[in-house]
Amino acid sequence: MSDAGDPGTRVLGWREAVEWRQCVAGRVVFTNGVFDLLHPGHVDVLRGARLRGDALIVGLNADASVRRLKGPSRPVRSESERAYVLAALAMVDRVVLFDQDTPLELIRLLRPDVLVKGGDYAFDTIVGATDVVSWGGEVVVIPLTPGQSTTSIIERLRGSEA
């Protein structure tokens, strides 16, 4: 028996993500990130992204990608843990991992109608923005939630260990 409530069923490989994308009626929104220690800033970006369309797919940096981008002490949580938590959120329809340093290949493959990033980005620094606009899509920047970052959480936790 299939458990439709199991978040693990909403974590897809690339081929499954393309098949899912082709079956979605309405506007598909894409965002991506590490989502290492989920915090209110992440929730605000994901919620803002979901409000821009009919379905939200989240590209999640795989562990090797995170280590290349953030250093050897990251990620704190494994890719499977991070994907499971994201997939459990009501606003997230699907999660797909990517090993590359950027989600450009995945964005080009999925061709989302809307590309969303947090306020620490500007249009000219958002990977895939020009592609999405070229096929008639929209790029949206969600303002940052003040005082919320994974790095600051990690620094606070390390400070409390001393």
Side-chain angles (χ1 to χ4, degrees):
M1 179 189 334
S2 161
D3 180 4
D6 177 6
T9 63
R10 298 181 352 172
V11 179
L12 307 178
W14 284 36
R15 182 177 306 200
E16 295 168 307
V18 169
E19 291 169 3
W20 172 84
R21 168 63 172 110
Q22 292 168 344
C23 294
V24 174
R27 286 167 51 102
V28 171
V29 181
F30 179 92
T31 192
N32 67 280
V34 173
F35 300 99
D36 204 358
L37 298 176
L38 208 57
H39 56 68
H42 289 136
V43 172
D44 291 345
V45 168
L46 293 168
R47 183 173 174 275
R50 184 60 177 81
L51 289 171
R52 269 42 183 211
D54 301 297
L56 172 61
I57 187 163
V58 178
L60 182 65
N61 290 78
D63 290 348
S65 171
V66 177
R67 280 190 291 277
R68 287 191 306 272
L69 297 170
K70 304 271 185 185
S73 65
R74 299 279 301 276
V76 174
R77 306 301 309 228
S78 73
E79 61 192 41
S80 61
E81 292 168 330
R82 293 179 289 120
Y84 187 82
V85 169
L86 279 172
L89 299 175
M91 76 240 345
V92 175
D93 293 286
R94 297 294 184 272
V95 176
V96 61
L97 290 158
F98 63 95
D99 290 319
Q100 299 79 4
D101 290 346
T102 76
L104 185 59
E105 283 182 63
L106 186 56
I107 290 167
R108 288 177 174 166
L109 193 63
L110 296 174
R111 295 180 61 90
D113 301 296
V114 183
L115 175 59
V116 171
K117 287 299 286 180
D120 46 346
Y121 288 85
F123 181 88
D124 60 343
T125 63
I126 298 174
V127 170
T130 55
D131 293 89
V132 172
V133 169
S134 77
W135 58 67
E138 177 185 4
V139 177
V140 177
V141 176
I142 305 289
L144 287 181
T145 303
Q148 297 295 325
S149 82
T150 301
T151 301
S152 67
I153 293 169
I154 292 170
E155 287 172 358
R156 273 184 283 161
L157 290 171
R158 286 188 177 141
S160 68
E161 292 173 358

